[in-house]
Amino acid sequence: MENGEARFRALLEAEEKIEPTDWMPEGYRQTLIRQIAQHAHSEIIGMQPEGNWISRAPTLRRKAILMAKVQDEAGHGLYLYSAAETLGVTRDQLMDLLHTGRQKYSSIFNYPTLSWADMGAIGWLVDGAAITNQVMLKRCSYGPYARAMVKICLEESFHQRQGYEIMLALCRGSEEQKAMAQDALNRWWWPSLMMFGPHDSESTHSEQSIEWKIKRVSNDDLRQQFVDMTVPQADYLGLVVPDPSLAWNEDRQHYDFGPIDWDEFWSVVKGHGPMNQERIEHKRRVWDEGAWVREAAAAFGERERNRGAA
Ligand code: BYC
């Protein structure tokens, strides 16, 4: 055990990856299970608000792109569940933890998607925030998680561009279309900033996670990076970020921004957001309805194994 601990420390120190068969502290393993599972659940629950618009996309081209994006999110969920499984939990256990509310998913997916412009705002802002967070996770000390992030980040970059392109089309369109884009920005801006989690001073896990090199940048620093990157993009669209305190700070070389409504954040995290109940009920229902597919796949696998053995 002592050797294991020394080796674990040495690997962290040398910026090398911890792999599933390496010794690791129990807290490190549990933190990764919690974070990777929460991340996987977010990808899967995150399919719902966008799936809501596949049948109503304005053109065939938009429909094809949106379907591909939603399928990508399913793929991300699968890589991440596989990464979590390397830590000794099963897919069924993770599903049960989600379905019984003992594991979380990102607060952002508990808001409704009311107009087509929300597909633009989600791609631009939500995927934009996700990339900001995930680029740092490519450097996570746990190998399977870090490697899953490489492909996910590439796909998220494409998602972010497609969202921005929807916003650009709306902003170059009629007054009514531009107003839809502004309304979507108004509703998604603050929830996107909340995606990065509580302020560093309130973040229960950050200090330990940064020490273990699971997280490499703090919640507040990532949030600032996101604001600095996104405000010029809003300017280019000709949209107004819904924050009267937003201003460039010459001394800090960053944007200052107004206070986040943490009561709203915690209320959504604790299950009282506008769509929490609907999202999880839908997830549980499709899991139950899909039982026959899992049984058929397992029976097929069993038959193939028996054939191989014969
Ligand atoms: N929502 O100590 P803290 C996507 C919880 S999806 C809900 O700072 P940590 C996409 C936190 O769990 C992208 N809960 O935590 C998909 C903790 O509670 P517990 C999803 C949140 O873990 C489809 C407590 O607050 N990305 O890309 O050090 C379409 C204290 O927080 C949230 C990920 O999941 C939240 N926003 O840091 C489009 C990235 N924030 O567990 C796009 C991976 C905090 O103690 N995750 N909490 O009960 C992370 O990087 C980190 O887990 C976080 C939080 C930065 C989110």
Side-chain angles (χ1 to χ4, degrees):
M1 177 75 82
E2 236 168 64
N3 273 348
E5 172 125 39
R7 185 160 180 278
F8 173 80
R9 290 274 153 211
L11 287 171
L12 284 188
E13 190 65 27
E15 291 290 328
E16 286 189 31
K17 299 296 178 207
I18 310 296
E19 297 297 340
T21 49
D22 290 330
W23 183 91
M24 61 187 82
E26 187 52 22
Y28 178 85
R29 197 174 72 87
Q30 290 302 335
T31 298
L32 280 165
I33 291 175
R34 177 185 63 78
Q35 180 170 323
I36 301 173
Q38 179 167 329
H39 196 163
H41 299 327
S42 304
E43 301 282 357
I44 298 301
I45 299 280
M47 294 167 74
Q48 291 185 40
E50 291 179 291
N52 178 36
W53 278 89
I54 290 175
S55 62
R56 291 175 289 163
T59 65
L60 184 59
R61 174 175 167 267
R62 293 289 185 198
K63 190 194 289 275
I65 295 171
L66 187 59
M67 277 172 67
K69 177 181 193 287
V70 172
Q71 282 179 350
D72 285 350
E73 310 300 358
H76 299 174
L78 296 182
Y79 313 144
L80 288 164
Y81 284 127
S82 299
E85 283 172 310
T86 65
L87 292 155
V89 276
T90 66
R91 192 80 57 103
D92 282 346
Q93 283 170 330
L94 295 173
M95 283 303 141
D96 189 52
L97 289 165
L98 172 65
H99 294 159
T100 52
R102 286 174 294 157
Q103 276 181 344
K104 299 184 167 72
Y105 57 88
S106 181
S107 51
I108 192 77
F109 301 115
N110 292 307
Y111 292 86
T113 42
L114 304 178
S115 83
W116 171 252
D118 289 13
M119 296 306 97
I122 289 184
W124 172 35
L125 301 173
V126 176
D127 285 276
I131 301 169
T132 308
N133 167 276
Q134 287 167 179
V135 164
M136 98 167 157
L137 292 174
K138 285 200 281 189
R139 294 193 291 121
C140 170
S141 57
Y142 189 57
Y145 192 26
R147 288 189 290 274
M149 282 302 125
V150 174
K151 188 164 191 289
I152 292 179
C153 280
L154 287 170
E155 291 179 353
E156 299 287 27
S157 305
F158 166 76
H159 296 170
Q160 199 265 354
R161 296 305 298 230
Q162 72 83 38
Y164 194 71
E165 201 252 335
I166 292 175
M167 295 303 269
L168 199 56
L170 291 170
C171 290
R172 287 180 177 165
S174 64
E175 279 305 304
E176 201 183 349
Q177 286 171 315
K178 189 161 182 192
M180 275 169 64
Q182 181 64 56
D183 173 60
L185 171 59
N186 293 349
R187 285 181 291 105
W188 291 93
W189 176 254
W190 291 107
S192 297
L193 297 196
M194 293 174 194
M195 284 176 74
F196 295 95
H199 279 315
D200 295 346
S201 55
E202 304 289 320
S203 165
T204 37
H205 304 290
S206 276
E207 196 181 334
Q208 180 64 75
S209 288
I210 287 176
E211 207 239 311
W212 277 330
K213 300 187 175 176
I214 293 174
K215 284 165 86 167
R216 311 299 301 244
V217 184
S218 81
N219 297 358
D220 283 330
D221 287 350
L222 286 174
R223 190 168 12 245
Q224 182 73 61
Q225 263 182 38
F226 173 74
V227 171
D228 291 347
M229 172 184 85
T230 311
V231 172
Q233 296 172 351
D235 290 344
Y236 184 78
L237 292 171
L239 296 178
V240 181
V241 173
D243 177 358
S245 309
L246 188 75
W248 177 251
N249 183 322
E250 198 57 42
D251 295 336
R252 291 201 313 123
Q253 289 290 301
H254 288 294
Y255 282 95
D256 290 335
F257 54 96
I260 291 172
D261 183 347
W262 293 113
D263 290 342
E264 176 181 324
F265 171 74
W266 288 116
S267 161
V268 174
V269 169
K270 288 181 181 145
H272 311 300
M275 300 298 282
N276 292 61
Q277 204 177 332
E278 191 170 328
R279 297 285 186 245
I280 205 71
E281 274 172 10
H282 180 82
K283 177 68 184 65
R284 282 199 212 107
R285 184 171 57 73
V286 294
W287 178 254
D288 291 343
E289 287 174 5
W292 70 271
V293 179
R294 295 190 296 280
E295 281 161 22
F300 178 76
E302 179 75 20
R303 199 188 65 180
E304 291 300 294
R305 270 193 298 281
N306 290 341
R307 265 197 194 158

